Amino acid sequence: MNDFINKLYRNHSLIYKGLLFIVTTFLIVYLFPKSGKFKYSFEKGKPWQSENLQAPFDFAIKKADEEIALEKKTITENATLYFDLDTVIVRRIKKKYPEIFYENFSDSIYNRQKEILLKVGEQIISELYKYGVLTGSYDFNDEKSVVILDGRVEKHKTIYSNLTHQDKITPIIERVLLDQNLNAYKSDFVSLFFDLIEPNLVYDKSFTEKVLNEELNKISYTRGSIAKETLIISKGEIIEGDKFQILKSLQSEFESQVWNESNYNWILFAYTLLVALALLMLLLFLRKYRLDVFENNTKVTFIFFNIFLMVLLTTLVINYNSQYIYVVPICILPLVFKAFFDARLGLFSHVITVLLLGSIVPNSYEYMFLQIIAGIVTILTVSELYKRANLFISVGQITLIYIIAYFAFFVIHEGSVETIKWQTFGLFVLCGFATLFVQPLIYAYEKLFGLVSDVSLLELSDTNSKLLKELSNKAPGTFHHSLNVANLAESSANEIRANAMLARVGALYHDIGKMKNPTYFIENQSTGINPHDELSAKESARIIVDHVINGIEIAKKHNLPDRVVDFIRTHHGSSLVYYFYMKEKEIDPDAIKADFCYPGPKPFSKETAILMMCDSVEAASKSLKNPTSTKIDAFVESIINKQIEDGQFLNANITFKEIQSIKKVLKHKLANIYHLRIEYPE
């Protein structure tokens, strides 16, 4: 039992990765559509590449979305408006009219004329209420068909312009009076009807919409059908018009069929295999090319989490409206991975994610082409992410690539630009703005996963930070040495295309352990007194070696990232404190060499190897007397060759060619530092 537990403990990292792999696979499969996928790939305007296709079953030909939209538009535009009529109002007005008429017209008008005017007024009422007077003003087309309901019973059928609007009352009065040659009484009648007329037509919106919806529901979404084994399309035939719509109908019918339990399980199993295969390729890539990332469970979790997050966001957008698919900023993925890891890992993970999304997005070939091209552009254009201008320029380039590629695909599919959907370009611009969210996202990831990006490294490189201020106060000589090493390391890293910012920050903090006993290090001895004179060689060596351990403790206390602590841990590797070892050998020829060696580990990256070279060369350069170009060259060669002979760079992925380039930089820099000056006159 104990052996089993010990075996589990020894392999707990692999067990965790296995569980993470299984959980991520099932989560992604859960988001995938649970139906079959049409096995044929086709595009409008292109030849049919497969063999002759016959209908595998009976299916209806679906109308195109544009055709259905046009039918809906036509029905909506020709829809009948329904108004409710209040008959009581008309009866009340007709009854009230004679009384008001005699009140408004003076007694000076003789009776015969009054009777004529009274009848004219009744005629005006009839004209006004022929169909009814509206309660308000509505924005309907004058030719719209109108039905007037009296208690849900159709009373009149007319057009909207025949109804009496409030602003039509005066023109109707004028027209009736003009026909009777009674224009002289216009103001009297207008005044009379202003107080008398009441609206009696109310727009019945709910009933109108109900009837409209009934008409819309009658729309047939299909036109005709295809019988089983009917030839649909022949090989090489151009896919356009009805052929394209029939193929789309077959695809839709195939993917929307109600699958039985057996089919469902097989589809689920097949999707699981595909997703598992893609994620397995990612794990194998990490194990072969990024072993340091593979062995770090936090980093592997981070990578899998981001891939799942992109699949989740894309699925949510597709479920809402697949037209907005290009709003999802997939290019955030390579940006984030490049910020925390490297470009190669960023691109590989991006491609794996796009391949996974190809199973759920419409127009999968077009989508995958656009996203992979955009990912490549992201990797190639984004450098030094901590510089804000670089991110904006890169996002602009990514957006431009999206637009160009989409334009090319549209022209290939449609054969013209007349029907191009300009709003899609707006989606690409929105995607660009969403990609800018990568900066706060990187900050959040740093806090959640304990990772370090170049943005954080830029902050750590500030020499006014609390820890570097303390170093400059307690150990000014060490601080000056660290600045010189930082400049050398940055130049060397730039020369071999390593992470210059990381190398600089590592160099700034590599000797912070000397703050504990600053006077025991020669660069901080300003009084001429050397405390090592009072100690044995072993004690002195232990103090010198302990500055690495002390540095790690101080770094942990101040929450420096592990990437920076690695420089403190490795900058001397397993090298020998040569001076005190030789001093001890003078006293004891059998002195144990291991007592005078640093504990390691040896440098395990290009950046940490660069620091070891720069640190040794800069420190030893102080001992040069009358430095010349020849002396400096021999001096640099001697120190770095000794480190190579000791095997200090065996664990670092650095080549001899790169070491030669670093030597060249160090020789050039030291030659500039120790250049001869002319003697100034006193």
Side-chain angles (χ1 to χ4, degrees), residues 329 331-332 335 391 395 398 430-439:
C331 287
I332 277 184
L335 280 174
L391 179 61
V395 166
I398 294 165
L430 287 176
C431 179
F433 282 119
T435 306
L436 294 175
F437 185 69
V438 70
Q439 285 285 21

Side-chain angles (χ1 to χ4, degrees), residues 520-540:
Y520 284 87
F521 300 89
I522 193 166
E523 68 265 23
N524 298 311
Q525 295 171 4
S526 57
T527 59
I529 299 171
N530 190 342
H532 288 289
D533 295 340
E534 307 297 324
L535 302 174
S536 67
K538 273 189 177 182
E539 289 173 326
S540 294

Side-chain angles (χ1 to χ4, degrees), residues 31-68:
L31 297 174
F32 275 21
K34 306 303 185 298
S35 64
K37 195 167 180 69
F38 196 52
K39 64 180 178 180
Y40 298 105
S41 178
F42 60 92
E43 294 180 38
K44 188 176 182 180
K46 287 193 172 184
W48 177 254
Q49 301 291 340
S50 306
E51 295 300 322
N52 295 354
L53 177 64
Q54 292 180 323
F57 44 75
D58 296 341
F59 66 94
I61 304 171
K62 292 189 175 182
K63 294 178 181 176
D65 292 340
E66 297 80 8
E67 191 176 348
I68 293 170

